[in-house]
Amino acid sequence: MGAHLARRYLGDAEVEPDPLKMPTFPPDMGLPNRRPRESVATAKQLALGRVPLEQRDYCAHHLLRLMRCHRDAFPLPWLCNSLRHQWDLCQHEE
Amino acid sequence: MGTALILNTSTLLTLIIITSPLFTPLLSNTLTASPTHIVRTIKMAFMLSLLPMALFTYSGADTVTLCWEWKLITNFKIPLDFKIDQYSIMFSPIALYVTWSILQFATWYMASEPHITKFFHYLLMFLTAMMILTTANNMFLLFIGWEGVGIMSFLLIGWWFGRAEANTAALQAVLYNRIGDIGLILSMAWLATTTSTWQILPPTEPGTTPTLPLLGLILAATGKSAQFSLHPWLPAAMEGPTPVSALLHSSTMVVAGIFLLIRSHPMLTNNQTALTLCLCLGALSSLFAATCALTQNDIKKIIAFSTSSQLGLMMVTIGLNLPQLAFLHISTHAFFKAMLFLCSGSIIHSMNGEQDIRKMGNLQTALPTTTSCMTIGNLALMGTPFLAGFYSKDPIIESLNTSYLNAWALSLTLLATMFTATYTTRMTLMVQTGPTRVSPVNPTNENDPAIINSITRLAAGSMLAGLLISSFTLPIKTPPMTMPLTTKTTAIIVSILGLILALELLNISNTLTKPKQTPWANFSMTLGYFNPLTHRISSSLSLGNSQKLALSLVDLSWYKKIGPEGIASLQQTITKSSTSMHTGLIKAYLGTFALSTIILILTTTHL
């Protein structure tokens, strides 16, 4: 969420939206020619890779690569640090 | 297929190896299990348990092993099955590593004990029960392990049974755990009647688990993991020998309650009431225990309250819906807490039994290895970056800061983190630095491989465990990646504040200012007035009421007043009033006879 705690209590809904009543927006955000977002990893790939359900989001393709790297580099997981960073960066940007 | 076979075989073999020293003396007189033999057995079991852990880390395989099924009725069967999943596979090597170090230490600590073999057997029985608890796939097997660890805790706390305080403490442990067991049995009953099985399964529709069985599970965890309201047994349990405190009351037994909540997480995850209760209870326990630890002078009690505080933090993590993070904290906490207890044991023996930190000082010159490892353990406890505690504690605080939850729980947890730094710094400074306040002649010696090897092994674990576990395992829930700088550094800022607070307070005490007795100090020293309030009220009420029931109600009323004595007293009243009429004069008797005849005639003829 990344919001300031004090702002959450002292400001009103315009400063910090109430997380229980998040505002909704139309799918094209008022911009024409906007296409719906698609996940890079397919559902079949995610199911085969046994990715946990909560992590099947728009960064899951990085996670799949990371899991494969963990398996291939087995006793040395730190060889996959760059892939881990890419996944973390994608999550941060999400 | 091969993976599953290796997993099952190695796990079952580990369990059999742990129990073998208990059975081999029964088979033959020559096959005695000496303490060193038992240490070697646990070392072997640890090495073997690394195999399933490596397999799981590589392939993510988990299995359920069904050994036997108790077919009660056609609808309800109780399988004897072991769940070899992420939690039990990771916990087994950690528990065995810690147990190995503790048992090796105990060969030195309990060397003068005449029944040392029985002591080791008790610890082995405890370990067996704990392993059954962690590998259980259903509530029945978990309950067996649960009660087993409770009983062994009782026997081990009261090891020196000639001491009245030890017996009281053991009884306290059993009673408080029993209150928690009410909750566990309640949820078992609900599971059996509603789902016809004792396996913990996710509900068929999300959000449909009623709150009552979850409250039962939370009550069970409150009792076993010494959360606020059922917590007094944990500091009292320090009456037991230090190896017992290190194994049971820091790393393994007390986390059983949290482990139960982790296992039943599929049921908890959608019930916001239960999660909020966990969060608030955990935050309160954490702060309360940290407050009590601030004014303790017994080194073991400080570490006991520290354990209670960290258990509160684990409960907070459960309330945040992050069971894997709670499990990570269990794993890292086991290393440094066990090490702190072993260091305190080494110090206590070197001080000839002195446990008061006011009578220790400047031990870093006398016991360098022990005090160095103690410092490492304290730093890990405070969440110093890149030691073991950091990898679990920091994500917990970050998740707490960035989630939509009540600020009360957040502020309590941050305050507890600050107090953690305060009391650990206070302990470190009073024990290791400053003027020497020990008595002149002491058997100060740490030059024994049993001490050095065990403590340094756990120190290595305290430094590396967090890094290793978080490198090898990927999180099941994505950790928060976006937060302002203050939120990210809250944990470390708060710990530094606590450290500064401790330094300031010790500075004040070193300049010999007159100590003030403030209400806050009194609250902390008397452990929140909780013990006298609950123990005296409950026992006086129950004893008084039972006395009234037994003596007044049953003996006096039912047996006497309603029966013979009551009738006798009624008759006495009438008799006393009519005795005055027995004067012995014939005229009076004739007159009475005449009067009653006239009344009889009048009444019958009137009709």
Side-chain angles (χ1 to χ4, degrees):
Chain A
M1 292 208 175
H4 200 284
L5 194 63
R7 253 190 279 144
R8 210 179 273 171
Y9 285 93
L10 300 175
D12 59 348
E14 289 211 350
V15 174
E16 165 78 14
D18 184 359
L20 294 177
K21 289 183 243 155
M22 286 295 265
T24 53
F25 304 98
D28 59 355
M29 304 269 206
L31 299 162
N33 308 324
R34 195 169 181 272
R35 283 178 299 282
R37 188 175 179 185
E38 279 166 13
S39 165
V40 175
T42 62
K44 191 173 174 198
Q45 285 172 329
L46 293 172
L48 280 175
R50 299 198 300 172
V51 175
L53 289 175
E54 288 125 345
Q55 289 179 310
R56 295 188 190 190
D57 52 12
Y58 292 109
C59 294
H61 53 290
H62 291 289
L63 179 59
L64 271 175
R65 283 185 206 133
L66 180 60
M67 286 165 88
R68 198 176 339 141
C69 177
H70 264 268
R71 188 199 62 194
D72 295 337
F74 170 58
L76 309 167
W78 40 87
L79 295 177
C80 307
N81 274 350
S82 56
L83 286 170
R84 177 79 191 247
H85 172 70
Q86 281 177 18
W87 181 48
D88 289 345
L89 187 63
C90 177
Q91 289 288 353
H92 174 76
E93 281 165 2
E94 275 294 305
Chain B
M1 177 64 200
T3 318
L5 190 60
I6 297 175
L7 271 179
N8 298 341
T9 317
S10 37
T11 310
L12 286 173
L13 198 54
T14 311
L15 289 173
I16 292 170
I17 288 172
I18 294 170
T19 51
S20 62
L22 297 170
F23 293 118
T24 46
L26 299 171
L27 298 171
S28 157
N29 275 337
T30 50
L31 290 171
T32 47
S34 68
T36 25
H37 170 84
I38 291 177
V39 173
R40 259 185 270 129
T41 312
I42 298 295
K43 182 167 146 186
M44 186 165 70
F46 162 68
M47 299 295 176
L48 185 58
S49 66
L50 288 175
L51 178 60
M53 186 168 84
L55 267 175
F56 172 77
T57 318
Y58 173 67
S59 64
D62 47 22
T63 62
V64 175
T65 314
L66 178 62
C67 292
W68 179 63
E69 202 167 32
W70 184 6
K71 297 178 181 31
L72 274 178
I73 55 174
T74 37
N75 197 20
F76 192 77
K77 298 182 194 7
I78 305 175
L80 196 73
D81 51 0
F82 297 103
K83 188 176 174 92
I84 303 163
D85 70 337
Q86 169 193 195
Y87 300 123
S88 49
I89 287 183
M90 297 296 293
F91 189 77
S92 300
I94 291 169
L96 288 168
Y97 184 82
V98 167
T99 310
W100 170 27
S101 302
I102 291 170
L103 288 179
Q104 193 181 14
F105 179 82
T107 54
W108 170 77
Y109 192 84
M110 307 293 284
S112 56
E113 174 70 45
H115 302 291
I116 186 172
T117 314
K118 187 162 95 160
F119 181 75
F120 272 68
H121 281 177
Y122 277 6
L123 286 175
L124 267 184
M125 283 199 272
F126 162 78
L127 187 65
T128 311
M130 190 69 207
M131 288 289 129
I132 291 174
L133 198 156
T134 48
T135 51
N137 192 26
N138 52 41
M139 296 289 274
F140 181 70
L141 212 51
L142 189 130
F143 189 67
I144 291 175
W146 187 274
E147 292 298 306
V149 299
I151 295 291
M152 295 324 296
S153 170
F154 169 77
L155 290 172
L156 284 164
I157 296 172
W159 175 256
W160 290 312
F161 51 78
R163 209 175 130 78
E165 289 96 339
N167 289 336
T168 323
L171 204 57
Q172 246 187 348
V174 155
L175 288 173
Y176 277 110
N177 277 340
R178 236 334 165 224
I179 299 174
D181 290 351
I182 297 172
L184 187 62
I185 295 175
L186 172 75
S187 39
M188 279 172 72
W190 178 86
L191 267 175
T193 49
T194 320
T195 57
S196 249
T197 175
W198 264 333
Q199 278 187 307
I200 302 166
L201 299 163
T204 43
E205 299 149 30
T208 52
T209 318
T211 317
L212 184 62
L214 300 176
L215 290 181
L217 290 173
I218 294 171
L219 178 63
T222 309
K224 190 66 90 180
S225 295
Q227 302 298 305
F228 182 73
S229 74
L230 294 177
H231 63 281
W233 69 271
L234 189 53
M238 298 299 114
E239 291 290 333
T242 306
V244 168
S245 310
L247 185 55
L248 273 73
H249 306 121
S250 61
S251 347
T252 37
M253 186 190 119
V254 289
V255 299
I258 307 291
F259 200 85
L260 171 69
L261 290 180
I262 291 174
R263 275 269 192 249
S264 44
H265 179 254
M267 288 199 290
L268 272 171
T269 186
N270 282 319
N271 193 317
Q272 202 54 43
T273 317
L275 289 176
T276 313
L277 179 63
C278 284
L279 183 77
C280 297
L281 183 64
L284 183 62
S285 312
S286 195
L287 180 63
F288 183 78
T291 313
C292 294
L294 288 175
T295 48
Q296 287 300 308
N297 292 315
D298 181 350
I299 191 172
K300 283 181 71 175
K301 287 251 163 53
I302 297 178
I303 307 176
F305 279 113
S306 163
T307 306
S308 196
S309 183
Q310 296 302 305
L311 289 167
L313 190 65
M314 290 173 208
M315 188 64 115
V316 162
T317 321
I318 300 275
L320 287 170
N321 224 352
L322 299 167
Q324 205 195 15
L325 197 50
F327 182 74
L328 178 61
H329 196 53
I330 289 178
S331 311
T332 52
H333 175 259
F335 287 99
F336 52 77
K337 200 42 71 67
M339 182 171 71
L340 282 173
F341 268 113
L342 295 194
C343 294
S344 72
S346 169
I347 292 171
I348 289 167
H349 257 22
S350 296
M351 299 290 109
N352 201 20
E354 184 54 65
Q355 291 184 233
D356 197 328
I357 57 174
R358 295 172 292 193
K359 295 187 194 157
M360 298 175 195
N362 204 14
L363 283 179
Q364 60 191 10
T365 45
L367 300 168
T369 314
T370 306
T371 47
S372 314
C373 293
M374 192 169 194
T375 311
I376 294 172
N378 281 331
L379 287 173
L381 175 58
M382 286 197 276
T384 310
F386 311 118
L387 292 180
F390 172 74
Y391 287 96
S392 51
K393 223 172 149 181
D394 208 64
I396 295 173
I397 308 269
E398 276 174 26
S399 308
L400 190 54
N401 268 330
T402 51
S403 46
Y404 178 68
L405 288 163
N406 52 47
W408 179 78
L410 171 63
S411 47
L412 253 58
T413 312
L414 289 177
L415 208 55
T417 313
M418 186 166 97
F419 285 172
T420 304
T422 310
Y423 62 69
T424 42
T425 313
R426 174 174 177 262
M427 183 171 75
T428 311
L429 290 176
M430 284 189 83
V431 167
Q432 298 179 17
T433 66
T436 311
R437 297 179 294 273
V438 308
S439 53
V441 180
N442 270 325
T444 309
N445 178 33
E446 60 169 15
N447 192 14
D448 189 326
I451 312 172
I452 303 286
N453 289 349
S454 48
I455 292 182
T456 45
R457 203 180 303 130
L458 285 176
S462 304
M463 289 189 279
L464 299 172
L467 175 63
L468 287 174
I469 298 176
S470 46
S471 306
F472 278 96
T473 53
L474 288 169
I476 294 178
K477 291 197 191 179
T478 314
M481 284 289 145
T482 311
M483 62 196 89
L485 185 64
T486 25
T487 313
K488 183 86 185 166
T489 50
T490 303
I492 193 151
I493 288 173
V494 146
S495 300
I496 291 173
L497 276 175
L499 202 126
I500 294 171
L501 179 67
L503 288 171
E504 187 60 39
L505 288 170
L506 274 166
N507 204 16
I508 295 173
S509 58
N510 279 342
T511 52
L512 292 176
T513 10
K514 194 166 139 203
K516 272 192 268 190
Q517 212 188 53
T518 62
W520 298 107
N522 283 346
F523 180 83
S524 176
M525 265 186 276
T526 54
L527 315 180
Y529 311 107
F530 188 91
N531 289 20
L533 277 175
T534 46
H535 296 176
R536 288 180 197 180
I537 286 178
S538 59
S539 39
S540 73
L541 273 176
S542 52
L543 283 173
N545 280 335
S546 54
Q547 188 183 43
K548 281 193 204 118
L549 271 174
L551 297 178
S552 307
L553 184 63
V554 177
D555 277 352
L556 202 58
S557 307
W558 285 111
Y559 291 162
K560 290 191 196 165
K561 288 269 164 63
I562 305 261
E565 266 188 32
I567 296 175
S569 58
L570 283 171
Q571 288 200 329
Q572 256 187 352
T573 327
I574 301 172
T575 325
K576 273 190 204 151
S577 56
S578 58
T579 329
S580 54
M581 285 194 262
H582 296 295
T583 50
L585 299 170
I586 304 275
K587 271 193 197 167
Y589 291 155
L590 279 174
T592 323
F593 174 65
L595 186 64
S596 41
T597 318
I598 289 167
I599 290 170
L600 197 66
I601 292 168
L602 279 174
T603 47
T604 48
T605 51
H606 185 71
L607 288 169

